[in-house]
């Protein structure tokens, strides 16, 4: 899991602002994922990508957007349409897109609203 | 879609005792069940997983059992140690690329010295 990184560690968003969270992996994994973690709740899937230039919505995609232009990178944009963005965001990757493969997580980004 | 319920939400045990965390799932097609451990301020890490073709799997002090008929699976930690204190998440999914992991809400385990 040391091969997957996220930045920044903390991010502050102002009203009406879009912010982008970075996720990079050097594990040569095809699949990447974005989860949101709120206190007392499990991880909820925002978006996932099984291959470059392709991605699918997860359970809570509204107010978020992603891109997958490179195999190593899967940035997440939290748009102004996301009304409750304060949360801990985790990026993960797995070797392939089969859900029975181990997902490796990044260290996370904590997003706070000013 | 899949729904995973996890109990208890918090669990305190004395060092050396055993801890058991239980999860139930709704989708009978689910056949892969991983458990993740998340220490305070750190990333979740896979600690053990089980597939539907087996009923139990052990790895040193950790074991997972699966009852497909009742659609529930459990994590067992024996001889608990302070470093076992963390949040534990269960998850379930059918294998294949069309479906994704559904996580339980987590259990905060505290091992008291």
């Amino acid at each position: 899991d040391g091969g997957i990184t996220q930045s920044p560690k903390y991010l502050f968003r102002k009203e009406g602002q879009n912010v982008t969270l970075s996720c990079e992996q050097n594990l040569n994994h095809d699949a990447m994922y974005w989860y949101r973690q709120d206190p007392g709740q499990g991880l909820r899937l925002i978006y996932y990508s099984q291959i470059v230039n392709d991605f699918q919505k997860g359970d809570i995609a509204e107010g978020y957007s992603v891109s997958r232009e490179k195999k190593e990178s899967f940035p997440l944009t939290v748009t102004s349409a996301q009304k409750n963005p304060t949360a801990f965001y985790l990026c993960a990757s797995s070797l392939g897109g089969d859900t029975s493969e181990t997902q490796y997580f990044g260290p996370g980004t904590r997003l706070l609203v000013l | 879609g899949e729904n995973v319920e996890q109990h208890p939400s918090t669990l305190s045990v004395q060092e050396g005792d055993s801890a058991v965390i239980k999860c139930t799932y709704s989708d009978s097609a689910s056949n892969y069940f991983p458990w993740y451990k998340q220490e305070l301020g750190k990333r979740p890490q896979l600690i053990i997983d089980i597939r539907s073709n087996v009923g139990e799997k052990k790895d040193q002090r950790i074991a997972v059992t699966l009852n497909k008929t009742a659609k529930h699976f459990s994590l067992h930690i024996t001889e608990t140690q302070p470093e076992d204190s963390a949040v534990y998440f269960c998850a379930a999914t059918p294998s294949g690329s069309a479906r994704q992991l559904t996580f339980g809400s987590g259990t905060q385990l505290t091992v008291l010295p």
Side-chain angles (χ1 to χ4, degrees), chain B residues 45-104:
Chain B
Q45 292 190 309
L46 179 73
I47 56 171
I48 196 168
D49 57 14
I50 191 168
R51 299 174 195 275
S52 60
N53 56 344
V54 297
E56 184 175 4
K57 184 177 178 180
K58 288 184 179 180
D59 183 2
Q60 299 182 343
R61 297 186 297 107
I62 294 173
V64 56
T65 59
L66 172 65
N67 184 327
K68 284 219 73 176
T69 302
K71 289 191 282 188
H72 67 72
F73 56 110
S74 300
L75 178 71
H76 305 252
I77 306 174
T78 59
E79 300 174 17
T80 54
Q81 300 168 3
E83 53 264 38
D84 294 329
S85 295
V87 178
Y88 292 81
F89 292 98
C90 63
T93 185
S95 61
S97 60
R99 306 283 287 274
Q100 299 302 317
L101 283 173
T102 300
F103 285 85

